[in-house]
Amino acid sequence: DLNNKIVVEMTTKDKTERFTLSVFVNSPPQISYRPDKIEYINLNDTFTFQLQSFDANIDQPVQWLLRKAPTGMQMITNNTLQWEANELDYFSYAVELTDTIGYDMFYGEIYVNDLPTIISVPKEYVQLGDTFNYTIEVKDANTKNPLNASAANIVEKTITEGPDEMSIQNGILVWTPKEKDLGTHTIEIKAFDGLAEDNQIFTLYVNTSPRIMSPDNLNINLGDTLHHFITATDPQNFSQLTYSIRADIENMYLNAK
């Protein structure tokens, strides 16, 4: 790597001449520590990476250059890349390391991810005999797939906790409860974009209506007073039922005691 002396001798009939050449043997510098080919960061985060180099020519100065970069990317403190990710999807950049004689290049990409967020709110109950339908809405502004730049971004929706018969069909959580499902159920769903996930946990109550067991056809003589005791049952065994009356008959009332 130091200057090497080469002596060239030229002899003629009359004289001999010597020429001394100084030759510098250069070893091109190498980028020895670099980012991954594709780096993944979240929107509005700052990408920072300190590059490292190797050069067999110990005293040969090297220089880092950004040959291609997204808007706002810069090389700070000579060998540190820095960029605030305020746009989404893929961005390419190229870094050159040179000693003015030879050089090494690195070509990289950064994928900026918008974290998926479940923004929809489910109902809290479903009536026995009905089907629970919950359209899962997810906010994710990415358009390109983080694992395949030529594919569209897809957010996968799955059930991580819930009844066995519950399923997701075209982004809709679907379940038709049976009598054995009466009561409260904890449901957890996940939205995953290939890099990050969001989870939503909620409780779903399967309800059934109480049944009035007392007769619904009554006979009473003119002038008599009607006294009718109402009995009801609730399959969910609530300790207390609330009774009310709707009637077009004047002076009819319900004594709940």
Side-chain angles (χ1 to χ4, degrees):
D1 98 84
L2 299 174
N3 290 334
N4 297 277
K5 302 291 184 180
I6 299 177
V7 178
V8 180
E9 186 177 273
M10 184 176 65
T11 302
T12 64
K13 288 182 179 181
D14 301 324
K15 60 180 178 179
T16 298
E17 293 184 275
R18 289 184 177 86
F19 300 93
T20 302
L21 302 178
S22 181
V23 179
F24 180 82
V25 180
N26 187 57
S27 175
Q30 296 178 356
I31 302 174
S32 58
Y33 186 60
R34 61 191 69 190
D36 290 336
K37 182 65 177 176
I38 301 179
E39 290 281 345
Y40 299 93
I41 63 173
N42 295 327
L43 183 65
N44 297 321
D45 283 354
T46 299
F47 171 73
T48 303
F49 192 92
Q50 187 174 21
L51 298 148
Q52 294 180 19
S53 64
F54 171 77
D55 193 334
N57 302 103
I58 298 174
D59 297 323
Q60 185 76 346
V62 295
Q63 183 180 10
W64 295 91
L65 301 170
L66 263 178
R67 292 305 188 187
K68 178 182 179 183
T71 302
M73 179 178 278
Q74 57 184 334
M75 189 76 73
I76 61 173
T77 63
N78 187 37
N79 65 332
T80 300
L81 278 172
Q82 189 173 87
W83 181 55
E84 184 177 343
N86 52 19
E87 296 182 71
L88 293 172
D89 295 327
Y90 288 92
F91 295 89
S92 300
Y93 64 98
V95 177
E96 178 184 332
L97 173 66
T98 180
D99 61 3
T100 70
I101 300 173
Y103 68 94
D104 190 17
M105 295 291 299
F106 173 71
Y107 300 91
E109 285 187 298
I110 298 176
Y111 180 86
V112 183
N113 191 43
D114 184 29
L115 297 175
T117 305
I118 300 174
I119 60 174
S120 50
V121 179
K123 295 190 299 183
E124 297 180 350
Y125 69 91
V126 60
Q127 194 72 15
L128 185 65
D130 292 345
T131 297
F132 176 75
N133 291 284
Y134 168 42
T135 301
I136 305 169
E137 298 179 19
V138 180
K139 175 188 170 294
D140 188 331
N142 286 105
T143 59
K144 294 186 177 181
N145 192 300
L147 306 180
N148 184 352
S150 61
N153 183 42
I154 297 175
V155 179
E156 181 184 25
K157 306 174 184 74
T158 56
I159 302 167
T160 54
E161 182 179 354
D164 292 338
E165 300 85 358
M166 182 174 282
S167 63
I168 295 178
Q169 303 172 17
N170 298 319
I172 302 174
L173 190 65
V174 179
W175 183 44
T176 303
K178 301 175 182 177
E179 192 165 350
K180 66 180 178 63
D181 299 314
L182 290 171
T184 302
H185 299 265
T186 299
I187 313 297
E188 182 176 4
I189 56 176
K190 179 176 73 175
F192 181 61
D193 66 0
L195 295 176
E197 65 182 52
D198 187 31
N199 295 275
Q200 184 182 68
I201 301 175
F202 63 95
T203 55
L204 179 64
Y205 185 78
V206 180
N207 185 57
T208 185
S209 301
R211 293 193 293 270
I212 297 176
M213 307 301 294
S214 49
D216 56 2
N217 290 305
L218 302 172
N219 296 314
I220 185 173
N221 294 324
L222 185 64
D224 287 350
T225 300
L226 173 66
H227 293 279
H228 179 60
F229 293 95
I230 301 172
T231 58
T233 183
D234 188 347
Q236 297 169 97
N237 296 319
F238 276 149
S239 60
Q240 183 176 356
L241 294 174
T242 301
Y243 297 83
S244 63
I245 186 171
R246 290 194 296 268
D248 295 331
I249 303 174
E250 245 183 90
N251 298 324
M252 176 175 281
Y253 66 92
L254 178 68
N255 185 348
K257 292 183 180 181

